[in-house]
Amino acid sequence: MIRVKVILLCLYLIPGVRHAGATHVQNMREFIWVNRVLITEVHDVSALERIKQTIARNAQQFSDNKLISLVKLDANLYSIQIHGNKLTSTQLAQNELVKEIKELLTEFSGNVLLVGLDGRVKHKYKNIDFKLTDAFNDISLMPMRRAELNNLN
């Protein structure tokens, strides 16, 4: 029995073995070492659509930086991510992840949060003047991202 648990744990820790898509994630811990996460709140559907358009225009960089965006609109939480070159947007079912995001957004009201691969909030940006390029620039300075880039060369 212990051997099975160890094997399952090893499979869980190997990047790409577990599904990184936010639609199946139950809590923030599941993003650790798989995705960086941008978290924000919007107050109308048009703002949500603008976020989708911005991500679609920057799809390659979004994907290269292992980013997923979680956006709260009213009582709903949406996952926006890139699969290949295709943008997907999914309303998430109520679970622990949704509760955690709502708590973070309450704590950091009015901010866009950048969560790193280690699961910690790395940067807070004022929602009113946030630009995706700010997050890309900050990610490029992170030690994990620099290591990823060095491994590509």
Side-chain angles (χ1 to χ4, degrees), residues 93-153:
Q94 296 295 318
N95 62 14
E96 186 180 337
L97 173 64
V98 174
K99 182 181 173 194
E100 289 173 332
I101 297 303
K102 287 178 180 180
E103 288 172 1
L104 273 173
L105 289 170
T106 298
E107 182 179 348
F108 297 102
S109 181
N111 288 291
V112 176
L113 305 175
L114 173 60
V115 177
L117 288 175
D118 63 359
R120 295 187 345 215
V121 174
K122 299 295 185 178
H123 291 279
K124 297 175 286 197
Y125 310 94
K126 290 292 178 198
N127 201 346
I128 195 147
D129 59 1
F130 173 73
K131 295 188 180 15
L132 190 54
T133 54
D134 295 338
F136 292 150
N137 290 336
D138 288 333
I139 290 169
S140 71
L141 299 174
M142 293 177 181
M144 289 297 297
R145 181 61 181 148
R146 288 191 304 221
E148 291 168 358
L149 292 172
N150 284 338
N151 288 339
L152 291 176
N153 295 329

